[in-house]
Amino acid sequence: MGSISGLLDFLESKGRAAATARLLLSVAFVLVVWEAVASVVESRLLIVPPLEVAQALSEESASGALWTNAVATIGAVAISFPIAALIGISVGLALASSRFLALTAGPLLTALNSVPVIALAPLFIAWLGLGFASKFVIVTIFSMFPILVTTEVGLRATDRHLVEAARSFNASYWQIFRTVTLPFALPFIISGIRVGWARALVAIIVAEFFGAFAGFGFAILAAGQSFDTAVLLAYVILLGILGLSGSLFFEWLERRLAPWRQDQ
Amino acid sequence: MTAASVLSVESVTKVFSGAGKPDLVALEDVSFSVGDGEFVAIVGASGSGKSTLLRIIDGLLPATSGAVRVGGEAVTHPGFDRAMVFQQDCLLPWKTVLDNVAYGLVIGGAKIADAHETARRFVQMAGLTGFEHHYPHQLSGGMRQRVNVARALAVNPRILLLDEPFAALDAQTREIMQGELLNIWSESRTTVVLITHQIEEAVFLSDRVVVFSARPGSVREEIPVPLPRPRTMEMKRSEVFVSLVDRVWRLIEHEVRKAVEEGMA
């Protein structure tokens, strides 16, 4: 009993070793359940055991298809997402600093955000063709909204007492922005970027579903149409890894940029 | 106005006018002056415009009419001849104690290294040595307010403005902090204007208590405090102290009761 509670204490503790252990434990759990379900369900169309998926993955890798698809998908996201973040932060900044803009453009942006922009994907593809341009526009538009919203909210949420204290030292508008408003908004912005990252991955897959010559979304659709469940699951797992590593990276970034929020 | 006065408040009136709301006269014809190195406390019921007056002195708010002069110069905006200690936690949560204390100096254009050197002196003066690299949320309420005082003093102001600096602290911490404030002050001997609603605190700390009446705020009476310095806790039981507190209380009792009743209504 003692060793079990000791193990629990370790898993709930802070630190890199415990975090890694937690991750391995949850991955192992998923693999075990997956294997168990696959051994009960006979149809290999519905589910494929983990080992066969791994095999499919290595075949994709050997044939070079995996790398072509990875370059297409990751390349498109790697270019589109930073630009989406830049646009989101800039527009959020503009909205937070101008009451006029917030009142006029704000409702429009809210409306645009509540429209499932993703549903317009076929339209963008019709306009921009099957290549990079349509992927770029779909990913950018879909992933910039959470960043835009959290930037504006974060900048507006700044404690007015902190601003007053800065003003009492005769701080200029720019100094207040740099030393008070922006640091205050930073954790908000990063959490927006985390949400945006998840949406960027959804957007790229949808864009590739509707029209692409390569990419994870293209490969998943092709595998689905040829009933190759092993390949389909292989790419889904790769997407999961991509999402998780992005999320971990932004978590790390938040810890680096906002250390005062850790033990609050 | 004596020749030695460093701060003079001259017929200051402040009217807040908002669209669709009746004008609110917060301060009406307020005049008093503070001598060099003097510690003045302003007391009054809530709604007597004390905090508004302090913000006008600091330059955060403009007066509707009248003027505030520091060393003869009219105040138009915040400046380094004045520094304010606020009631709330106004420390930057992402900066360490040292960086918070250095903040005003850095804003004023000092080099980081120089600002840190000065800040270190004031951190020590505030009894926070060893906590330089702590963040505000790792400190107690009393320690945070000491950082606040050190941050204000670090810019070497001619006048230190204290806006209910201990209001958020519990009674015991407050007592201790009053003593510590006097210790820090005895080293710097800056001119101080303290706003408080606590009469004992005002009498214990100051050379002179300016009693405000409420709605609109105006000076009702100025009461010198003849207690010697350094002040000790025992003085709080002296006859002079008790009778001074009583006198101030009588002056504002009616308004405090009215404010309480309005609060309950």
Side-chain angles (χ1 to χ4, degrees):
Chain A
M1 286 307 279
S3 64
I4 288 175
S5 79
L7 189 67
L8 275 177
D9 283 345
F10 166 71
L11 287 172
E12 287 172 1
S13 68
K14 288 181 181 178
R16 194 172 297 248
T20 312
R22 282 195 295 270
L23 185 67
L24 290 177
L25 199 67
S26 52
V27 168
F29 177 77
V30 169
L31 286 176
V32 166
V33 172
W34 180 1
E35 182 67 50
V37 173
S39 65
V40 175
V41 179
E42 291 284 307
S43 166
R44 285 293 162 262
L45 188 60
L46 298 179
I47 194 159
V48 179
L51 215 58
E52 279 178 45
V53 172
Q55 213 167 4
L57 196 62
S58 78
E59 276 163 25
E60 283 289 300
S61 167
S63 77
L66 175 68
W67 307 110
T68 315
N69 290 326
V71 166
T73 299
I74 296 173
V77 175
I79 295 169
S80 314
F81 188 63
I83 292 173
L86 208 65
I87 296 175
I89 292 170
S90 311
V91 176
L93 252 163
L95 288 176
S97 47
S98 159
R99 207 175 135 69
F100 170 75
L101 263 183
L103 290 174
T104 48
L108 189 76
L109 288 167
T110 311
L112 200 56
N113 188 25
S114 45
V115 171
V117 179
I118 211 83
L120 297 176
L123 198 60
F124 286 126
I125 289 160
W127 286 349
L128 301 164
L130 292 177
F132 171 77
S134 57
K135 287 186 187 182
F136 172 76
V137 170
I138 292 166
V139 171
T140 305
I141 290 183
F142 196 57
S143 60
M144 75 175 193
F145 275 102
I147 303 169
L148 183 160
V149 171
T150 53
T151 302
E152 191 196 355
V153 167
L155 289 170
R156 284 192 187 282
T158 309
D159 193 339
R160 65 185 178 81
H161 296 121
L162 294 180
V163 175
E164 195 176 38
R167 278 189 59 216
S168 88
F169 285 114
N170 208 14
S172 65
Y173 184 84
W174 168 243
Q175 283 177 320
I176 291 174
F177 175 75
R178 205 166 44 79
T179 63
V180 182
T181 323
L182 189 63
F184 196 94
L186 210 55
F188 289 81
I189 297 174
I190 296 172
S191 70
I193 289 177
R194 272 171 72 180
V195 176
W197 174 249
R199 288 181 73 160
L201 292 182
V202 172
I204 188 71
I205 295 309
V206 170
E208 288 171 349
F209 271 3
F210 283 111
F213 304 116
F216 289 173
F218 169 79
I220 287 170
L221 195 69
Q225 281 165 349
S226 60
F227 307 110
D228 194 345
T229 307
V231 171
L232 187 148
L233 287 176
Y235 279 108
V236 169
I237 284 167
L238 282 181
L239 273 173
I241 292 169
L242 207 56
L244 181 69
S245 37
S247 187
L248 287 174
F249 170 72
F250 295 122
E251 243 174 70
W252 171 82
L253 197 66
E254 185 174 356
R255 272 201 307 275
R256 277 296 300 276
L257 295 176
W260 72 95
R261 290 177 66 92
Q262 274 176 68
D263 35 18
Q264 250 176 6
Chain B
M1 242 130 293
T2 58
S5 85
V6 72
L7 167 71
S8 60
V9 177
E10 298 163 6
S11 306
V12 165
T13 295
K14 179 69 185 177
V15 182
F16 289 106
S17 34
K21 279 186 281 183
D23 285 359
L24 176 81
V25 184
L27 296 166
E28 193 168 43
D29 198 24
V30 173
S31 296
F32 66 92
S33 63
V34 181
D36 199 10
E38 195 181 8
F39 197 131
V40 167
I42 299 175
V43 288
S46 52
S48 59
K50 307 180 298 270
S51 273
T52 304
L53 177 66
L54 208 65
R55 276 163 179 74
I56 292 172
I57 296 175
D58 196 37
L60 289 168
L61 282 177
T64 308
S65 67
V68 171
R69 289 180 200 283
V70 174
E73 298 259 335
V75 165
T76 52
H77 54 76
F80 279 158
D81 47 1
R82 289 144 290 145
M84 181 109 135
V85 176
F86 295 86
Q87 175 182 345
Q88 302 84 6
D89 258 332
C90 287
L91 300 174
L92 298 170
W94 50 85
K95 285 190 184 288
T96 60
V97 167
L98 191 66
D99 281 326
N100 265 295
V101 175
Y103 181 70
L105 296 162
V106 172
I107 288 294
K111 287 204 187 82
I112 297 282
D114 297 342
H116 275 176
E117 201 185 308
T118 310
R120 234 172 233 129
R121 270 205 345 261
F122 284 91
V123 165
Q124 189 191 1
M125 197 199 238
L128 291 162
T129 307
F131 292 95
E132 288 90 345
H133 302 295
H134 282 58
Y135 287 93
H137 70 267
Q138 297 168 318
L139 306 177
S140 69
M143 288 165 94
R144 282 205 292 269
Q145 260 335 46
R146 283 193 290 198
V147 178
N148 248 331
V149 174
R151 178 174 70 174
L153 285 173
V155 299
N156 193 22
R158 291 184 73 179
I159 305 172
L160 184 65
L161 305 169
L162 305 169
D163 183 17
E164 306 239 12
F166 309 137
L169 305 178
D170 63 79
Q172 285 106 5
T173 310
R174 193 181 176 120
E175 291 265 315
I176 306 267
M177 286 297 293
Q178 290 170 359
E180 288 188 0
L181 176 66
L182 286 181
N183 284 340
I184 297 172
W185 179 69
S186 66
E187 279 184 54
S188 63
R189 283 287 168 169
T190 321
T191 306
V192 177
V193 178
L194 165 79
I195 297 284
T196 180
H197 61 260
Q198 244 222 335
I199 300 167
E200 284 88 354
E201 183 169 283
V203 173
F204 179 65
L205 295 174
S206 72
D207 300 315
R208 184 157 47 110
V209 178
V210 177
V211 184
F212 263 50
S213 61
R215 284 162 224 272
S218 55
V219 177
R220 167 162 288 183
E221 205 166 320
E222 297 189 30
I223 300 172
V225 180
L227 294 168
R229 296 199 185 266
R231 303 269 164 92
T232 59
M233 288 292 169
E234 288 71 49
M235 286 180 192
K236 289 192 173 183
R237 288 187 288 275
S238 73
E239 205 173 314
V240 181
F241 183 86
V242 173
S243 69
L244 275 172
V245 169
D246 190 53
R247 192 170 148 205
V248 176
W249 170 241
R250 276 168 208 277
L251 283 168
I252 62 171
E253 180 178 9
H254 175 68
E255 279 162 357
V256 173
R257 288 197 191 282
K258 214 167 89 182
V260 170
E261 274 158 28
E262 275 168 19
M264 286 191 290

